[in-house]
Each structure stands twice: as C-alpha cells, then as structure tokens.
Amino acid sequence: MVFLPSMKYVEDIDIKRLAIKLRPSGERMVKKGHPWVFEDSIVKQNIDGGAGDLAIIYDTKKNGFLACGLYDPYSPIRIKLMQFKKAAQINETWFSTKINDAFQIRKPLLETDTNSYRLLFGENDNLPGFIADVYDHVLVVKLYSHIWFPYLNWILPNLIEVSQCKTVVLRLSRLLKSKGETYGLQDGTVIYGELEDDVVIFREHGVSFSANVIKGHKTGYFLDHRHNRKRVGELSRGKSVLDVFSYAGGFSVHALKGGAKEVISLDISKHALAMAKENTKLNNHDGKHQIIVADAFEGLQKLIDEQKRFDIVVIDPPSFAKRENEVSRAKKSYAKLARLGARLVSSNGVLILASCSSRVVAEDFFEISEENILDSGSVFEVLEKTYHDIDHPVNFPEGAYLKCGYYKLS
Ligand code: SAH
C-alpha cells in the first residue's frame, strides 16, 4: 500500500469471517447474482456479525461457496454481496481490480469535453452502497452503509490513483449520521488533500457547472442526466424552454448554451435556483434566463392559466417512490405531470418526461406518460427513449432507475 501523507487514515478495524446459510428463496437470488441478502432470509450464522465483517454464503445442500459480501447490522439488507460463484480474497488487490474495471467502462466519456463522472456506482460496480463521483480534481465519496469503514484505507488510494484527483471529500448518508460508529469521520470531512472552495467548477459536454460538494444534495450534483442534458442542448437553438424541477439548472444551462432564446427554471427551492443562476453565468450565452420559485404542480397550473407555451418542456422530478407503499401515489404524480406538461408545449414542441424511481419500471412510466399526453388532448410522436449513461451501469433490477421519454406533440 502506498502511503499518502495528506490522507486521514481510518484506525485499524478488526474483521471477522461469518459463515452463512440462506432460505431457498434467498439462495435462489444469490445464485442469480443478486447483491442483496435480507435479514429474514438468513437461517444459519456461526457468530454475531459487526459492520463490515466478511460474510460468506454457503450452499445449504452441497456446502460449496456461493458468494461473499459485507455484513450490515444497521440495514434490513443484512449482507451486501460483492463476489459471486468463485471464492476470492477480498483484499486491496481485489478492490483495485474493481476500481480499474469501473474506470475502464467510463473512459469513453472522458474523451468528450467532460471532467465529471460517477466512478463507482455502488452495487452496479460490485461495491454496494459506495458512490464515488468525480468533479474535476475533487473526488466525492458518499457512503450509504457502515460496511465500508474497515476498507477505506485500501479503497481511497486506489480511487485517487485511477481518477488522479487531488482532494477527496467524504459524504455520509442520513443513516450513517444517525447510527453506529463512523471512526471520527463526518459528513463533509475532507479526507485527503485540501478543498480550496466548497464550490467546485467542472465541465459536462462542454458546459460549465458548479457544485457544492459539502452541502449539495447527494454528492453535490446529479450526474446521471448528462446525456439527456446534452440532448436538450442540441434541441434548443432558438427555442423557448421550461425546465421543471430544475435543481441547479442542469437542463436550463445546456439549453442556454445550446442557443435557447429563453429559459425558465422552476423549482421549489430558492437555494437550488440561486445555484442555477450562478451556473448560467459560468457559460457564454445570449438567451434570457428566468427563475420561478414554486411547487411544480401549482407552478405548471399557473403557467397554463396564463396561457403560456414553450417549444421544449423538461420535467425531471425527484424520486416519488422511495418506499414500496408510495408507488401508486408516485404513478398518479407522473400522470398529473404528463398532463400538465403536455398543455404547456406549443404545437410541434417537445415534452421530455423523466423518472428516477426504480420502483416504477420504465415500461409503466412510459405507458403512464403516453396515456396522459393523449388524455390532455395532444397527439405525440416518440422521438427517443433513453436510459442510463455509461457511468451509471446497471447490474441488477433495482439498479435501473433512470428513464426519459422525448415526445413531439401536435
Ligand atoms: N433536473 C435536475 C435534478 C432534479 S432534482 C438536474 O438535471 O440536475 C429534484 C429537484 O426537485 C430538487 O431541486 C428539488 O428542490 C425539487 N423539488 C422537489 N419537490 C418539488 C416540488 N413539489 N416542486 C418543485 N420542485 C420540487
């Protein structure tokens, strides 16, 4: 292991090895390569487990190795699996291989004018609950599980080497802030190098943005829609654009840079809209930019009442279904947004509807969107349907969350 002088190393944490057997249903999922083992599917466990202990799953009948992962006492997803079918030593080399594999997948993106990307996407890169986003020379690691503390000393130097980042910021999920040991590390700890400014400037397909890596949502910005924002930029020349749930203006700024004549960013958060304003200033453009602070449903209705129309309307709401019992309400919200959005699109304009709820699958989301566009009295042509960009690979069903439909309305 290379010693990095400006790294805050985590104290040594003892790791136990647990032998686990599962109920047939759990075993079937593991055999399919699913990374989650729920607490109620464990039928045999040799000793008590602590956060990050190595959990090895054995076949109930033949006793052979099925998979191994890390034990999480704080989550109903009790074991997060990382290695399937063939036994392997989970050591620094193992992590280094996974990180290099992940980097290889992202490489084509770095040949574009982009220096911001998701280097590790949790389960989908075999590191469950571990997110690593790069913004220029700043790497933001966000942990969603306590299992990672014993392994940070191995993982971080490898991430730094691959990404060539000069600074690493650690972000902790709400669960980690409220429960369990975090070894003196806090949400926002600069764990390697120095952070000159909480706000980091980076590029996304030739467009400049800034993100507050200490206080911003998730790791500071939503990298996942990059390909859709680029597309909106390409569609925007000379157009009027409404960007609903704009956050820091991802779609708005690409539209302006792409030559939109006017853009409205609508969000409930004043703070997000202030960031959107700042982000427009980082780029040369001739278009007019306006903000509306409002609840989206009310704001859209008001624009309809004022008989406003736009050439392009983008609606990219937050996840409406964080829990299973929220799914039917989420579907109703998607329906309502499609109806409201369709009424604001001018003839031959484009309505772009996105969803980031993994519990509402793509097929259902598109069906709801299309039924409701028709209900609002418009006829549509599907221009495109998009899913994940290459830095958000999908390795298991729940990993697929992003979908986006482009509808030309008449
Ligand atoms: N489109 C953005 C990401 C959207 S994130 C991008 O490309 O980066 C979701 C945004 O929805 C957040 O900024 C949040 O403030 C906003 N939001 C949440 N509930 C809202 C509501 N009821 N009305 C309007 N905005 C809302």
Side-chain angles (χ1 to χ4, degrees):
M1 185 163 51
V2 205
F3 178 74
L4 301 170
S6 74
M7 173 81 92
K8 287 191 176 73
Y9 284 97
V10 184
E11 65 192 69
D12 277 342
I13 303 168
D14 281 339
I15 289 304
K16 299 189 291 289
R17 287 167 75 91
L18 315 175
I20 307 274
K21 287 193 174 173
L22 305 178
R23 256 177 234 297
S25 57
E27 202 170 285
R28 269 197 302 277
M29 294 298 277
V30 173
K31 284 183 176 162
K32 279 194 210 160
H34 199 287
W36 294 345
V37 174
F38 287 90
E39 56 177 320
D40 56 7
S41 61
I42 299 176
V43 285
K44 258 194 191 166
Q45 179 173 330
N46 61 340
I47 43 172
D48 276 352
D53 282 347
L54 202 61
I56 303 156
I57 317 274
Y58 294 97
D59 193 303
T60 20
K61 290 200 187 110
K62 299 180 204 137
N63 221 18
F65 174 93
L66 280 184
C68 77
L70 303 178
Y71 192 84
D72 187 347
Y74 301 108
S75 162
I77 303 175
R78 192 51 43 92
I79 300 167
K80 275 103 173 167
L81 295 173
M82 310 191 295
Q83 169 76 28
F84 297 88
K85 292 193 174 89
K86 244 180 89 187
Q89 289 287 340
I90 305 297
N91 52 20
E92 186 173 5
T93 310
W94 186 92
F95 284 111
S96 165
T97 307
K98 293 297 160 193
I99 290 167
N100 275 295
D101 289 351
F103 186 68
Q104 289 309 318
I105 298 173
R106 278 79 175 166
K107 257 189 163 165
L109 198 57
L110 301 177
E111 279 149 30
T112 69
D113 188 359
T114 299
N115 62 6
S116 49
Y117 61 100
R118 175 154 291 185
L119 175 50
L120 289 178
F121 181 29
E123 281 79 345
N124 302 287
D125 287 303
N126 296 106
L127 277 79
F130 194 114
I131 298 293
D133 285 349
V134 173
Y135 299 105
D136 190 10
H137 287 297
V138 179
L139 178 79
V140 186
V141 166
K142 177 131 188 188
L143 302 182
Y144 288 89
S145 165
H146 295 82
I147 59 179
W148 292 111
F149 292 107
Y151 305 95
L152 285 182
N153 294 347
W154 283 341
I155 298 173
L156 297 183
N158 278 286
L159 283 174
I160 292 165
E161 190 186 330
V162 162
S163 67
Q164 295 285 302
C165 279
K166 297 192 174 79
T167 307
V168 181
V169 172
L170 186 71
R171 300 287 308 266
L172 303 179
S173 72
R174 203 172 300 161
L175 172 75
L176 272 75
K177 285 191 262 184
S178 65
K179 265 190 198 162
E181 177 67 72
T182 62
Y183 303 94
L185 299 169
Q186 281 148 15
D187 183 37
T189 295
V190 178
I191 193 165
Y192 171 72
E194 278 175 34
L195 186 68
E196 283 162 26
D197 193 335
D198 293 3
V199 177
V200 179
I201 295 177
F202 58 92
R203 315 253 314 150
E204 173 179 278
H205 288 307
V207 179
S208 297
F209 280 98
S210 62
N212 189 317
V213 293
I214 303 286
K215 294 199 200 86
H217 281 299
K218 314 258 175 171
T219 63
Y221 182 73
F222 295 97
L223 293 163
D224 53 1
H225 265 301
R226 178 191 309 100
H227 56 315
N228 290 313
R229 294 196 277 250
K230 175 170 181 271
R231 193 78 194 96
V232 166
E234 290 161 356
L235 294 169
S236 291
R237 183 151 301 280
K239 301 282 162 63
S240 58
V241 179
L242 174 65
D243 176 10
V244 188
F245 301 98
S246 67
Y247 186 52
F251 287 99
S252 304
V253 182
H254 273 272
L256 286 165
K257 188 82 197 273
K261 67 174 193 283
E262 54 169 313
V263 174
I264 297 181
S265 310
L266 188 155
D267 201 285
I268 202 162
S269 156
K270 242 190 220 166
H271 182 68
L273 290 168
M275 291 196 283
K277 273 274 170 217
E278 288 306 311
N279 283 331
T280 62
K281 288 185 201 150
L282 295 173
N283 297 277
N284 287 329
H285 64 86
D286 299 322
K288 198 171 112 196
H289 182 230
Q290 265 180 282
I291 54 169
I292 298 179
V293 185
D295 164 71
F297 297 88
E298 289 169 13
L300 289 172
Q301 187 57 54
K302 186 154 179 274
L303 290 167
I304 293 169
D305 296 343
E306 291 165 0
Q307 303 199 333
K308 293 272 170 46
R309 291 287 180 276
F310 301 86
D311 300 315
I312 298 174
V313 176
V314 182
I315 305 184
D316 173 34
S319 175
F320 287 140
K322 293 217 169 78
R323 281 185 287 272
E324 198 51 43
N325 63 10
E326 292 170 345
V327 168
S328 83
R329 235 179 81 195
K331 289 183 172 172
K332 284 189 190 124
S333 299
Y334 288 131
K336 195 158 180 205
L337 288 172
R339 285 199 301 272
L340 291 167
R343 292 173 63 193
L344 284 164
V345 175
S346 50
S347 186
N348 290 319
V350 182
L351 177 62
I352 299 164
L353 299 171
S355 156
C356 62
S357 305
S358 64
R359 287 191 171 83
V360 178
V361 296
E363 206 185 9
D364 291 351
F365 174 68
F366 290 134
E367 193 181 306
I368 293 165
S369 300
E370 290 162 18
E371 268 175 15
N372 284 280
I373 294 174
L374 293 174
D375 261 11
S376 75
S378 296
V379 179
F380 67 85
E381 176 195 337
V382 178
L383 296 180
E384 223 173 310
K385 284 179 181 171
T386 67
Y387 304 87
H388 285 222
D389 204 345
I390 59 167
D391 60 337
H392 289 68
V394 178
N395 255 348
F396 71 120
E398 291 82 351
Y401 68 94
L402 196 67
K403 49 269 180 198
C404 185
Y406 293 64
Y407 300 98
K408 185 171 175 182
L409 304 196
S410 51

